[in-house]
Amino acid sequence: MGATASVRQPDTAEAGDIRGGSRSTAARLPSLTGLRFIAAALVFAFHSSLTNFPLSPFADEDVAHGYEWLFSKAGWIGVSFFFILSGFVLTWSSRGGDTLTSFWRRRLLKIYPNHVVVWTLAMLLFAAQFTPPSAWLPNLFLIHSWFPQHDTFISVNLPSWSLCSELLFYLLFPFFLRLVRKIPVRQLWLWAGGMVAGMAGIQLVVQFLLPGSPQTPEQYPLSVVQWWFAYNFPPVRLFEFLLGMITARAVLAGRWIRLPLGAAGALVALSYAAAMAAPWLYGLYVVTAIPLALLIASVAQVDIAGRPTVLRGRTAVWLGEISFGFYVIHYVVMYVVRTMIMDEGRVGTPAGIGILAAIFLVSMMGGWLLFIGVERPVMRRWGRSRKPAAGPRVSVPDESAERARRQPVAG
């Protein structure tokens, strides 16, 4: 299921010193961490609504199709949110004295251990029965989204497809950072628009240049190759990542618009409705990209200004911290319950709601266990360099003079 929107999210957002010195603790962005779990919950709702897979538990067809219609774009908007957020937070928290190897090591350690644990769990429980080595081996090494074969790019634990894109982002980020820092401040909005134009260009290529058959097993209005290139192929998602980087650069430079948080949220809701009405291809991420960037920037500005939000509370931040684990394990939990325990049976509406609530809670527990038992110990043990920094560095040019010429961001 290429629609799966699980993706590795950044750590708790924290600003680095933009002059290349030590990390600053004065510009932490906890509300962005809290926002991550809301996106994760939307992805969960999307997967649990699918009626062409044995995931929706509802026997009443009206309820099942209504639920599916309501969350039909939740997966798309969820994955796009996380790709944009990755670019934003990595740019915001970039360390001027960081080496390339240290940066890449930390990012790999954030993704790979959790992926291997859940990959192993999925293989033991169900995937090994019907997944050939030509599919599970690329999945293990997170390169499966580079292959246009449907049974490969959606293999084993389906949400892992997006981690292939994240790895590409991390590989290229140090080099993109140099380029993004060179964009004149007055041209940042133009470049942001250029990223959306690039997204639209990808969909034009898909629509007019790629073969239209055979159709995807998901019954999307695309061929397998079109679906893979439009959504799963890692390089095409770079536009969203770069949009997040440009957004962070604009906020750091004091050039982002002062959009109230409520207005930003309303724009995202309107863009979701627009995506449902837009031609199918363009509803994947083109329509929602700019509103999502506006929301991320607005939430960041609220934290910069020190204003309280529900998203920065202890519970919300905790949920954000476990959201990666929740992402990578929720499909395994859902698949086991719906196919192995319930034998794909469907139930009445109250029972269906209860089943979804139980799957959600078990997925949260799994995410928490991955966080405390895998992610956090791995990062504490190997995520910090114990030796003086050496080798090539992730360079962050000085923007202090640029900011001094402008009013501080007022949120």
Side-chain angles (χ1 to χ4, degrees):
M1 187 195 326
T4 307
S6 174
V7 64
R8 169 69 188 108
Q9 307 94 337
D11 314 323
T12 303
E14 179 179 286
D17 187 311
I18 62 175
R19 292 164 296 186
S22 61
R23 287 165 72 91
S24 167
T25 58
R28 294 175 61 87
L29 306 178
S31 296
L32 283 180
T33 300
L35 189 61
R36 282 163 35 189
F37 194 78
I38 296 176
L42 288 174
V43 173
F44 177 95
F46 169 78
H47 288 149
S48 65
S49 75
L50 297 176
T51 57
N52 57 337
F53 283 84
L55 299 180
S56 175
F58 299 112
D60 187 314
E61 290 190 2
D62 290 337
V63 172
H65 289 295
Y67 180 52
E68 186 176 39
W69 172 82
L70 181 63
F71 292 102
S72 60
K73 302 298 180 182
W76 318 149
I77 203 169
V79 75
S80 188
F81 169 85
F82 284 116
F83 285 168
I84 296 170
L85 185 66
S86 288
F88 185 96
V89 174
L90 287 179
T91 302
W92 187 269
S93 61
S94 58
R95 302 175 180 181
D98 208 4
T99 66
L100 292 177
T101 53
S102 293
F103 173 79
W104 286 330
R105 184 186 69 249
R106 288 197 310 274
R107 303 323 304 174
L108 188 63
L109 288 173
K110 278 293 183 180
I111 286 183
Y112 203 69
N114 274 355
H115 162 67
V116 170
V117 169
V118 179
W119 179 92
T120 303
L121 184 64
M123 288 291 288
L124 291 174
L125 290 174
F126 56 84
Q129 303 174 35
F130 47 79
T131 309
S134 61
W136 64 250
L137 191 59
N139 188 291
L140 174 61
F141 290 101
L142 292 178
I143 58 173
H144 54 295
S145 279
W146 292 86
F147 297 86
Q149 290 79 26
H150 188 270
D151 290 342
T152 299
F153 67 73
I154 64 157
S155 60
V156 190
N157 180 33
L158 277 60
S160 63
W161 74 266
S162 58
L163 303 185
C164 302
S165 294
E166 288 286 340
L167 284 182
L168 178 64
F169 300 163
Y170 299 158
L171 177 65
L172 297 178
F173 171 75
F175 311 104
F176 282 155
L177 182 62
R178 294 173 181 268
L179 299 176
V180 169
R181 293 291 188 180
K182 291 180 180 179
I183 298 174
V185 172
R186 64 183 180 278
Q187 295 182 10
L188 288 171
W189 278 95
L190 179 63
W191 278 83
M195 296 304 103
V196 179
M199 298 175 210
I202 291 295
Q203 307 306 18
L204 288 172
V205 169
V206 170
Q207 183 175 359
F208 294 108
L209 298 181
L210 297 184
S213 62
Q215 189 178 22
T216 65
E218 295 92 345
Q219 300 301 308
Y220 298 142
L222 298 171
S223 70
V224 170
V225 171
Q226 286 176 319
W227 173 236
W228 166 75
F229 191 82
Y231 196 75
N232 294 85
F233 187 42
V236 305
R237 309 313 295 263
L238 285 169
F239 290 107
E240 291 151 280
F241 181 71
L242 283 165
L243 176 61
M245 293 185 66
I246 293 167
T247 301
R249 170 83 197 286
V251 174
L252 285 168
R255 284 300 186 96
W256 199 257
I257 61 175
R258 295 178 176 87
L259 182 68
L261 185 55
L267 284 176
V268 171
L270 288 174
S271 73
Y272 186 90
M276 297 177 75
W280 198 88
L281 268 174
Y282 302 90
L284 290 175
Y285 46 79
V286 175
V287 173
T288 57
I290 287 294
L292 287 173
L294 288 168
L295 176 64
I296 290 168
S298 295
V299 171
Q301 289 177 317
V302 168
D303 278 342
I304 292 170
R307 297 198 297 269
T309 67
V310 174
L311 295 172
R312 67 186 299 166
R314 179 177 299 179
T315 299
V317 171
W318 177 80
L319 289 171
E321 289 174 341
I322 70 167
S323 59
F324 176 45
F326 176 89
Y327 263 121
V328 295
I329 205 169
H330 81 274
Y331 180 83
V332 173
V333 175
M334 192 179 296
Y335 187 88
V336 168
V337 171
R338 290 292 297 124
T339 65
M340 300 175 69
I341 297 177
M342 297 183 65
D343 195 24
E344 302 185 15
R346 301 186 189 274
V347 297
T349 302
I353 294 173
I355 288 167
L356 291 182
I359 295 172
F360 190 87
L361 290 174
V362 173
S363 299
M364 283 183 58
M365 178 64 70
W368 174 69
L369 290 174
L370 286 170
F371 177 69
I372 65 168
V374 180
E375 182 178 343
R376 189 165 61 185
V378 165
M379 291 306 299
R380 285 178 174 175
R381 176 62 179 85
W382 292 289
R384 296 178 181 178
S385 177
R386 300 178 182 274
K387 297 179 180 181
R393 298 179 181 275
V394 181
S395 176
V396 184
D398 191 348
E399 288 197 21
S400 56
E402 178 179 76
R403 293 197 64 181
R405 294 194 298 267
R406 295 174 175 84
Q407 295 295 324
V409 176

